[in-house]
Amino acid sequence: MTVEAQRSDQTPEPDLVFTKTGLQDVVPHENDPVVISVVTAGRKVHRVLVDQRSSTDVMFWLTFNKLLLSPDQLRSYVGCLYGFAGDQAEVRGHIKLRTTFIDNTTSRIANIRYLVVNAPSSYNILLSRPALNMIDVVASSRHMKMKLPSLEGVVITMKSDQNEAKRCYENSLKTKREVCSVTIQPPREEGVTRLEIAREKRPERAEEVLEREIRGKKFKLSKTLG
């Protein structure tokens, strides 16, 4: 015979459900992403993209500076970060910050590790699968909302700022410099990883150059060339 004691401090997990009534306050859209606001480092941060495609949570260097955080708080990061186009992004380090998700009634705090990336972006933070899975988030781009359970078993519903989302999306299309859908593991390409390529020394600008005309076109060539 065995006896199993049920812990009294276990809170039942609520169902995270999206219904038709949740569409009543949504402005019709086509491709607007879910963009929310969170509180971290004691300040409210807007333009936070809920990006379920990415494999790491990212805070951009400009946001890091605006939060008045010190570079001394960063821990070193030895890996490489690649965008969806395969371009390498500069990682300044990583930092773990208490991040608060709040709606009109309740809130939830989570310690999220952000990779601090020096790259242009329309967003301040990318909330990706590690953070979303840790706090049991379910997001719906159709409903322009994301839901997560509080520690008390209450459903927290966070609405997307559609005006901000539209501006960020249009800005990313204009500049074509958005960095999202990042992955830590670089894909293999013809037997050589892009990590190995990134470790190679990059070309440097020659200090002394000469102008030469070749077939009617002018070129700047290094003096060290034969």
Side-chain angles (χ1 to χ4, degrees):
M1 296 175 59
T2 61
V3 177
E4 293 184 1
Q6 185 175 1
R7 293 178 56 185
S8 59
D9 60 344
Q10 285 185 339
T11 304
E13 185 174 332
D15 294 328
L16 306 178
V17 181
F18 293 93
T19 62
K20 289 184 178 180
T21 57
L23 296 171
Q24 295 176 357
D25 58 348
V26 176
V27 178
H29 66 95
E30 293 182 357
N31 297 311
D32 290 352
V34 178
V35 177
I36 61 172
S37 299
V38 300
V39 177
T40 188
R43 292 172 175 82
K44 190 171 186 179
V45 180
H46 302 278
R47 302 204 308 272
V48 177
L49 175 65
V50 179
D51 186 7
Q52 301 180 45
R53 301 172 299 170
S54 298
S55 60
T56 187
D57 304 299
V58 171
M59 174 180 290
F60 292 96
W61 182 245
L62 184 62
T63 308
F64 182 86
N65 289 329
K66 286 184 177 180
L67 291 174
L68 302 180
L69 296 169
S70 172
D72 295 336
Q73 297 176 260
L74 290 174
R75 295 190 176 183
S76 60
Y77 179 78
V78 296
C80 293
L81 198 65
Y82 289 85
F84 63 92
D87 298 329
Q88 184 180 359
E90 179 188 359
V91 180
R92 294 293 181 89
H94 67 88
I95 186 172
K96 185 172 287 188
L97 296 173
R98 287 166 57 90
T99 304
T100 304
F101 302 85
I102 186 170
D103 61 7
N104 295 328
T105 58
T106 186
S107 63
R108 179 170 176 177
I109 300 175
N111 290 321
I112 298 178
R113 192 191 79 150
Y114 297 101
L115 283 186
V116 180
V117 177
N118 186 18
S121 175
S122 302
Y123 306 99
N124 290 317
I125 288 176
L126 303 184
L127 278 181
S128 305
R129 292 195 301 268
L132 300 177
N133 293 336
M134 178 177 64
I135 57 178
D136 304 317
V137 165
V138 176
S140 171
S141 58
R142 181 176 179 230
H143 294 80
M144 284 284 100
K145 296 177 181 69
M146 84 171 201
K147 296 187 177 184
L148 66 151
S150 71
L151 298 180
E152 294 76 26
V154 179
V155 176
I156 301 173
T157 302
M158 302 187 67
K159 298 180 181 180
S160 176
D161 187 337
Q162 284 193 261
N163 292 330
E164 196 73 69
K166 189 176 295 294
R167 283 194 294 268
C168 291
Y169 183 71
E170 291 175 350
N171 184 51
S172 65
L173 291 179
K174 290 178 182 178
T175 60
K176 296 182 180 180
R177 298 175 68 187
E178 175 190 4
V179 176
C180 65
S181 189
V182 292
T183 176
I184 298 176
Q185 296 293 335
R188 295 193 64 83
E189 187 174 87
E190 298 180 356
V192 181
T193 66
R194 288 183 178 154
L195 178 58
E196 293 169 343
I197 297 175
R199 286 175 176 169
E200 295 180 0
K201 186 177 180 181
R202 295 189 175 186
E204 297 179 357
R205 185 183 299 273
E207 294 182 358
E208 297 184 4
V209 296
L210 295 174
E211 281 197 0
R212 289 290 184 268
E213 187 172 329
I214 304 175
R215 295 182 181 179
K217 296 182 180 180
K218 289 185 178 181
F219 293 89
K220 291 184 178 180
L221 307 176
S222 171
K223 283 186 175 181
T224 59
L225 291 176

